[in-house]
C-alpha cells in the first residue's frame, strides 16, 4: 500500500496576527507527546519546576512539573489567550465559565453556576481566551504531573486571586520579572 500524505491544515491566525487558540492547543499537545522533552524537566518533590520554551508565532511556552498536592491558586493571564495539556500524571483545572473583567474591581461576587472542573491527563488539553480565570492542581497524593502551557501574547502579568465561596478577591499583580 503506498504512503498516503495528508496535507497539514492551515493554522488560523488571530486578528492580532498571533497564533490562535487552536494553534496554541496543537502546540501544547504535540509538545506534551514529546517524551524526550518531558523527560528533560528536572522534578523537585518540594515545589514546581519549569523550563521556558519557544512557542509558535512568538508565543511564550512553559514545560511545568507539579509535585503531588501542588497548585497555582486562582489567577488569570493578564489578557493573554492560552492553552495547556497534561504530559504525564493528571491535573485538575477549576475555572470560571464567565468572562471576568480584568480592570476596575478588587472584590467580585460570582453568580451561581459559573464553576467548572475538568481533569486532564494523557495529552488532553484545553484552550482559553483572554479573560480566563482558573486554578490548576495536582491532586494526586503520590504522582508528579508534567504539563505544557503556551500564551499569546507572552504574559504581560498575572493577577492572583483569593476565593471564599462566591467572592473572588484580587490579591496581587505579578510581573514577568518576578517569575
Amino acid at each position: 500500500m503506498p504512503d498516503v500524505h495528508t496535507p497539514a491544515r492551515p493554522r488560523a491566525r488571530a486578528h492580532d496576527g498571533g497564533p490562535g487558540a487552536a494553534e496554541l492547543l496543537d502546540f501544547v499537545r504535540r509538545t506534551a507527546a514529546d517524551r524526550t522533552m518531558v523527560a528533560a524537566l528536572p522534578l523537585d518533590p518540594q515545589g514546581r519546576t519549569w523550563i521556558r520554551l519557544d512557542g509558535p508565532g512568538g508565543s511564550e511556552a512553559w514545560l511545568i512539573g507539579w509535585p503531588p498536592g501542588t497548585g497555582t491558586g486562582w489567577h488569570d493571564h493578564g489578557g493573554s489567550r492560552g492553552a495547556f495539556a497534561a504530559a504525564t500524571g493528571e491535573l485538575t483545572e477549576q475555572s470560571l465559565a464567565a468572562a471576568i473583567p480584568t480592570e476596575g474591581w478588587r472584590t467580585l461576587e460570582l453568580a451561581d453556576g459559573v464553576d467548572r472542573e475538568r481533569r486532564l491527563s494523557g495529552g488532553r488539553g484545553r484552550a482559553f481566551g483572554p479573560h480566563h480565570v482558573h486554578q490548576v492542581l495536582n491532586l494526586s497524593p503520590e504522582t508528579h504531573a508534567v504539563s505544557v502551557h503556551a500564551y499569546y501574547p507572552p504574559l504581560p502579568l498575572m493577577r492572583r486571586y483569593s476565593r471564599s465561596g462566591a467572592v473572588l478577591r484580587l490579591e496581587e499583580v505579578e510581573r514577568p520579572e518576578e517569575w
Side-chain angles (χ1 to χ4, degrees), residues 41-42 47-52 62-65 179:
L41 179 67
R48 288 190 300 152
T49 54
W50 54 87
I51 296 174
R52 186 166 181 178
W62 299 87
L63 181 65
I64 301 175
W179 303 320

Side-chain angles (χ1 to χ4, degrees), residues 55-128:
S59 65
E60 167 179 25
W62 299 87
L63 181 65
I64 301 175
W66 305 79
T70 59
T72 60
W74 288 95
H75 66 281
D76 70 18
H77 303 96
S80 295
R81 63 184 166 271
F84 73 101
T88 64
E90 180 178 86
L91 293 173
T92 299
E93 180 198 32
Q94 297 172 342
S95 63
L96 303 176
I100 305 296
T102 56
E103 301 291 333
W105 63 275
R106 302 268 318 157
T107 303
L108 190 64
E109 186 167 350
L110 302 170
D112 290 338
V114 299
D115 288 296
R116 299 292 182 269
E117 183 171 297
R118 65 177 43 91
R119 295 189 194 303
L120 301 170
S121 62
R124 287 191 55 216
R126 65 147 6 250
F128 51 84

Side-chain angles (χ1 to χ4, degrees), residues 35-59:
R35 296 291 151 221
T36 302
M37 172 84 66
V38 172
L41 179 67
L43 301 179
D44 180 344
Q46 302 304 312
R48 288 190 300 152
T49 54
W50 54 87
I51 296 174
R52 186 166 181 178
L53 308 171
D54 291 326
S59 65

Side-chain angles (χ1 to χ4, degrees), residues 138-168:
N138 178 0
L139 297 176
S140 171
E142 57 205 31
T143 304
H144 240 89
V146 175
S147 59
V148 181
H149 304 245
Y151 309 99
Y152 189 87
L155 296 174
L157 58 89
M158 287 178 66
R159 292 176 194 86
R160 299 242 174 234
Y161 304 99
S162 62
R163 173 118 188 241
S164 179
V167 176
L168 189 67

